[in-house]
Amino acid sequence: LANGVGLDTPESVAHALCALAGAGYALGEGWPRSGAELMAQLLAGRTNAKSSRRSDVRFACAEYERLFARLPETVRAAVSDRWGAPEDDPFYADGAFHLPAHTYGNIVIAVQPARGYNIDPTATYHDPDLAPPHGYLAFYLWLREVFGAHAVVHFGKHGNLEWLPGKSIALDATCFPEAAFGPLPHLYPFIVNDPGEGTQAKRR
């Protein structure tokens, strides 16, 4: 959690939050002022680890299904064929998805969802053919359509969004990174001495 090659990810996020607060962004109450505070708050909530912990950020399954229905048929079929119904997802409970996210005023801090569940994460992290599960899409659809994020800043090593099925460049609506992320501006600080993975992230 919060791994970053050559980067103290938790402390970097805390510094960014302090800078945002100083610039007048509305962070509300209880936002972490240090990396240690950030990790304590993340570990107290929902992560990608198997857990019965609930989240304060819940996304009604009915609303998810409405937004999911707007995605291209090929995207929906790939997700449903691989993962079944939304109710089968481990992030689902009591009629809603419990997302690995924390809100502080107009800011969300979240753990990027895993590519799937009950699979080998090492073997599947970079799998170009593995469709993401419902909980993965629910996170991004909530971020875009419910929370209404204006931009995303990804801290740490490269994420898994850029390895989802689809083209490497000139993505269209049927490419999973586009289906999940849409037109959100994506700020992605990345270590300069890892150009291979950095280039892959940049292309997506």
Side-chain angles (χ1 to χ4, degrees):
L1 187 63
N3 185 22
V5 181
L7 177 72
D8 186 339
T9 304
E11 201 63 35
S12 298
V13 172
H15 276 279
L17 293 175
C18 290
L20 287 168
Y25 285 82
L27 269 65
E29 301 294 330
W31 56 275
R33 269 70 169 179
S34 69
E37 285 185 38
L38 171 65
M39 291 305 296
Q41 293 183 24
L42 289 179
L43 290 169
R46 193 70 186 258
T47 66
N48 288 323
K50 290 183 178 180
S51 170
S52 61
R53 290 196 298 265
R54 299 294 185 253
S55 170
D56 292 334
V57 178
R58 302 180 184 185
F59 184 23
C61 190
E63 178 65 6
Y64 165 74
E65 290 178 322
R66 185 184 71 80
L67 296 173
F68 181 70
R70 289 165 32 182
L71 297 177
E73 182 180 357
T74 55
V75 170
R76 290 184 277 118
V79 173
S80 298
D81 290 346
R82 176 61 180 84
W83 302 106
E87 294 81 2
D88 298 330
D89 195 279
F91 281 98
Y92 174 89
D94 305 322
F97 287 94
H98 292 248
L99 304 180
H102 303 259
T103 58
Y104 306 92
N106 290 337
I107 301 293
V108 170
I109 299 177
V111 178
Q112 186 177 45
R115 288 285 304 272
Y117 50 90
N118 299 329
I119 56 176
D120 180 359
T122 304
T124 55
Y125 193 94
H126 302 94
D127 187 341
D129 300 315
L130 178 65
H134 289 285
Y136 191 101
L137 291 176
F139 169 76
Y140 282 105
L141 290 174
W142 173 84
L143 195 65
R144 289 165 46 191
E145 304 290 343
V146 179
F147 180 76
H150 294 165
V152 170
V153 182
H154 180 108
F155 281 93
K157 67 179 183 181
H158 73 75
N160 54 41
L161 182 103
E162 56 267 31
W163 304 96
L164 297 179
K167 295 186 291 182
S168 296
I169 56 176
L171 276 66
D172 60 39
T174 64
C175 297
F176 274 88
E178 182 71 16
F181 212 77
L184 273 179
H186 195 192
L187 309 178
Y188 206 159
F190 201 85
I191 190 167
V192 296
N193 64 358
D194 192 356
E197 292 183 344
T199 299
Q200 171 68 9
K202 214 169 185 180
R203 290 170 72 186
R204 284 297 185 91

